[in-house]
Amino acid sequence: MSPKLLLVVPCYNEQEILQLTNQKLNAYFDNLISRGIIRSESKICYVNDGSKDSTWDIIEELSSNNSRILGVKLSKNYGHQNALLAGLFEYKGIFDCYISIDADLQDDINAIEPMIDRYNEGAAVVYGVRDDRSNDSFFKRVTAETFYKIMLKLGVPVVYNHADFRLINDQVLEELTHYREVNMFIRGIIPTIGMKSAKVTYKRLEREAGETKYPVSKMVVFAWNGVTSFSTVPMRMVLWFGIINFFVAVAIGLYVVISQEMGHTVAGWTSTVLPMAFFSGSNMIAIGLIGEYIGKIYEEVKARPRYIVEKSSDLNISDSKKNI
Ligand code: UDP
Ligand code: MG
């Protein structure tokens, strides 16, 4: 049977484009429903992420005129990732699969149908991957692609050129609720959940109205959050830097002692430089070591699930009693 789909659309100050987006999404839904690709109870959910313009008024109006449209209003601006989670968690357990998409429709909606196809073939997660960024500005393209490359180098499990346009099934959504960290970097978490995944490629389109809600400052914060949520590499670099520093300090120490012996120094120089070199090296090592433990504490505080069971056989209660 075709699935019941929820489309989650986070919206922050999107009054210029929301009507147009809704028209397109609705027409697309009509088409998918008439061809039996998705069930008629499928819905579109707009999450207002504390917009300062009339975005929420538009969402309210759309949902009062059309039962297919759902609205979620956040009390203030919590950021794209949280807005997305709010929409997903609000309707958890009600739909078969969930697709997240940006309000500006830069992610091609025509990729939704192939995503459903992959879902029907058994994929629990379908990543929308941008294989053509020719519509992005040079700056956006370079920064975005550098972002993915650095992330992958640092061991963050992102899918190259995949943002937050993806399908997840109800089971993956349920698992997502077990990740209790406050700063959730969703596109890194989903691959760690595992299960069968697939990719659908599409061409990234231009924003038709309004402007980007991701200025450089937000992009940097976002990337940094991704790195610090998944990678202890920066912290370990401090430790390595400390160890290298220590050896340099030993070399400086030798130089200082030899200079002293050869009488090239003024009084007081050796006793100043020698401890400085020694302590700066050992300080760095100590900070790195503390960092290692803080890293461990951080992992514990996040309390991520140790493992996820995808399937297990049903056990009849009477059977289990017999075995005991
Ligand atoms: N967005 C949000 N909260 C924010 C910033 C952005 O919900 O604080 C939404 C925004 O409305 C859009 C999506 O996140 O639906 C992606 O933003 P945008 O298209 O501006 O980013 P870009 O495509 O330029 O990276
Ligand atoms: Mg956009």
Side-chain angles (χ1 to χ4, degrees):
M1 193 162 69
S2 53
K4 193 159 100 172
L5 167 72
L6 179 72
L7 193 67
V8 178
V9 191
C11 308
Y12 177 58
N13 295 343
E14 298 288 7
Q15 64 179 14
E16 287 90 1
I17 202 166
L18 203 51
Q19 299 277 10
L20 180 71
T21 295
N22 186 57
Q23 274 168 25
K24 286 192 180 174
L25 287 178
N26 249 311
Y28 192 69
F29 259 53
D30 286 338
N31 177 293
L32 291 183
I33 291 168
S34 69
R35 290 189 295 122
I37 308 283
I38 57 173
R39 291 238 302 276
S40 58
E41 300 94 327
S42 299
K43 307 261 185 220
I44 301 171
C45 167
Y46 296 106
V47 183
N48 176 36
D49 184 19
S51 300
K52 292 172 183 68
D53 63 4
S54 62
T55 298
W56 178 243
D57 301 330
I58 299 172
I59 296 173
E60 267 192 318
E61 192 197 315
L62 293 174
S63 69
S64 63
N65 294 334
N66 184 347
S67 63
R68 183 187 289 160
I69 310 296
L70 305 170
V72 172
K73 183 176 191 247
L74 301 187
S75 60
K76 67 175 194 64
N77 179 248
Y78 287 97
H80 177 214
Q81 301 285 289
N82 288 321
L84 223 160
L85 288 177
L88 292 170
F89 289 158
E90 194 66 18
Y91 301 104
K92 183 173 73 78
I94 302 174
F95 295 85
D96 300 315
C97 56
Y98 299 76
I99 294 181
S100 43
I101 191 166
D102 289 353
D104 54 11
L105 299 190
Q106 281 190 282
D107 302 315
D108 188 2
I109 57 173
N110 295 307
I112 291 177
E113 188 175 339
M115 281 182 170
I116 304 280
D117 290 343
R118 300 293 96 75
Y119 166 82
N120 288 329
E121 289 159 16
V125 180
V126 186
Y127 300 106
V129 174
R130 303 159 177 175
D131 65 346
D132 182 346
R133 279 182 176 273
S134 53
N135 280 323
D136 274 348
S137 69
F138 175 73
F139 179 74
K140 179 83 190 182
R141 194 162 64 237
V142 169
T143 49
E145 289 185 344
T146 311
F147 163 82
Y148 291 105
K149 282 179 188 149
I150 292 178
M151 288 282 175
L152 288 166
K153 273 254 149 54
L154 292 178
V156 184
V158 288
V159 175
Y160 190 70
N161 262 336
H162 157 72
D164 284 302
F165 183 27
R166 81 177 75 79
L167 176 149
I168 56 174
N169 71 5
D170 54 346
Q171 190 185 1
V172 171
L173 180 55
E174 177 60 40
E175 296 304 342
L176 200 56
T177 60
H178 300 141
Y179 287 76
R180 311 220 59 91
E181 57 217 78
V182 175
N183 281 311
M184 177 92 95
F185 185 67
I186 309 174
R187 68 183 77 164
I189 297 282
I190 300 282
T192 63
I193 292 180
M195 301 209 230
K196 192 176 170 191
S197 68
K199 285 179 193 166
V200 165
T201 54
Y202 64 94
K203 181 177 164 137
R204 186 160 152 95
L205 309 168
E206 263 176 85
R207 198 179 233 281
E208 285 188 35
E211 51 191 45
T212 175
K213 309 297 179 296
Y214 263 102
V216 180
S217 57
K218 263 196 191 174
M219 282 197 309
V220 171
V221 171
F222 182 69
W224 185 240
N225 183 25
V227 171
T228 51
S229 295
F230 278 92
S231 177
T232 46
V233 171
M235 206 179 57
R236 189 146 298 160
M237 273 159 61
V238 176
L239 184 61
W240 281 112
F241 191 64
I243 292 170
I244 292 166
N245 208 323
F246 189 79
F247 284 112
V248 173
V250 170
I252 293 174
L254 281 176
Y255 167 74
V256 168
V257 170
I258 292 166
S259 303
Q260 161 91 352
E261 288 303 307
M262 293 174 76
H264 292 330
T265 57
V266 289
W269 182 75
T270 315
S271 57
T272 312
V273 173
L274 201 58
M276 247 173 56
F278 176 73
F279 286 116
S280 63
S282 43
N283 263 344
M284 208 64 169
I285 292 184
I287 292 172
L289 272 179
I290 293 171
E292 285 285 320
Y293 285 95
I294 291 180
K296 290 274 180 319
I297 295 169
Y298 185 50
E299 295 292 328
E300 294 296 329
V301 168
K302 280 187 291 193
R304 287 184 186 169
R306 287 206 195 88
Y307 55 81
I308 288 168
V309 176
E310 188 173 346
K311 271 185 200 150
S312 66
S313 32
D314 288 333
L315 185 62
N316 208 312
I317 302 290
S318 55
D319 277 359
S320 69
K321 276 193 186 132
K322 254 183 264 160
N323 289 339
I324 298 163

